[in-house]
């Protein structure tokens, strides 16, 4: 599966989310990466394909979602760490400093994670989207302190108008107990 370009729609309705997912794959030659409900009763759809197809697909998903659209994006060259971090298959080496960005929507968190990973030498550990988080999402990354600080700032800026960033922190020297919880 080509994961160079991804697109996302996040809706405030499970039923319309499924309708949007169907419209998205019918509108263009894309493959579904994620199509599932999230908290609190939202639905997230992520597709991949060539850039033009993903843009058309996201447009169709947004039209299907109507007034219940929460957030959306298209990322033409997604960082290779993003999908593994979303799916929980990240292979991380030693954990150094930690950076965490917490957002109001899943889509804005993925934008933050992509911008952070592209801006500095960090590894994405996890992108947790809305499961048990009342619709919020967060990304956790690691690297040396300067890289993590730079990545967090770039990630916060990378959200743009998509959705507010609730908080962001850098933990320069995380405790062994916290590190153990991340692995």
């Amino acid at each position: 599966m080509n994961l160079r370009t991804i697109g996302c729609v996040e809706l405030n309705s499970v039923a319309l989310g499924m309708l949007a997912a169907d419209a998205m794959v019918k509108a263009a030659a894309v493959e579904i990466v994620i199509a599932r409900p999230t908290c609190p009763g939202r639905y997230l759809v992520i597709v991949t394909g060539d850039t033009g197809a993903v843009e058309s697909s996201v447009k169709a998903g947004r039209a299907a979602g109507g007034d219940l659209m929460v957030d959306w994006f298209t990322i033409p060259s997604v960082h290779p760490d993003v999908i593994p971090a979303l799916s929980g298959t990240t292979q991380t080496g030693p954990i150094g400093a930690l950076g965490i960005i917490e957002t109001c929507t899943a889509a804005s968190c993925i934008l933050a994670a992509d911008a952070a990973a592209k801006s500095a030498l960090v590894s994405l550990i996890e992108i947790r989207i809305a499961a048990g988080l009342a619709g919020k999402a967060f990304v956790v990354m690691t690297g040396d302190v300067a890289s993590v600080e730079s990545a967090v700032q770039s990630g916060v800026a990378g959200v743009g108008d998509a959705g507010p960033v609730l908080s962001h922190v850098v933990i320069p020297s995380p405790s062994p107990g916290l590190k153990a919880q991340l692995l």
Side-chain angles (χ1 to χ4, degrees), residues 24-176:
M24 291 170 76
V25 295
K26 288 178 177 173
V30 296
E31 293 180 52
I32 293 176
V33 176
I34 293 173
R36 67 174 177 240
T38 63
C39 293
R42 291 183 182 167
Y43 200 86
L44 182 70
V45 183
I46 299 175
V47 297
T48 188
D50 71 43
T51 301
V54 170
E55 288 172 347
S56 295
S57 177
V58 168
K59 183 177 179 181
R62 291 177 63 204
D67 292 341
L68 292 176
M69 282 295 307
V70 173
D71 209 348
W72 62 277
F73 67 72
T74 300
I75 301 174
S77 294
V78 68
H79 190 277
D81 282 1
V82 169
I83 298 300
L86 273 168
S87 63
T89 60
T90 302
Q91 300 295 316
T92 305
I95 294 178
L98 291 176
I100 303 99
I101 302 171
E102 181 181 9
T103 64
C104 285
T105 67
S108 62
C109 186
I110 296 166
L111 287 170
D114 182 64
K118 287 177 178 173
S119 72
L121 188 56
V122 296
S123 297
L124 300 181
I125 297 173
E126 176 182 22
I127 301 171
R128 176 84 52 96
I129 50 173
L133 298 170
K136 298 187 296 182
F138 66 88
V139 58
V140 180
M141 65 199 80
T142 189
D144 66 69
V145 175
S147 295
V148 170
E149 287 175 343
S150 176
V152 166
Q153 290 307 314
S154 294
V156 168
V159 170
D161 295 331
V165 172
L166 295 173
S167 64
H168 59 284
V169 299
V170 174
I171 304 171
S173 183
S175 68

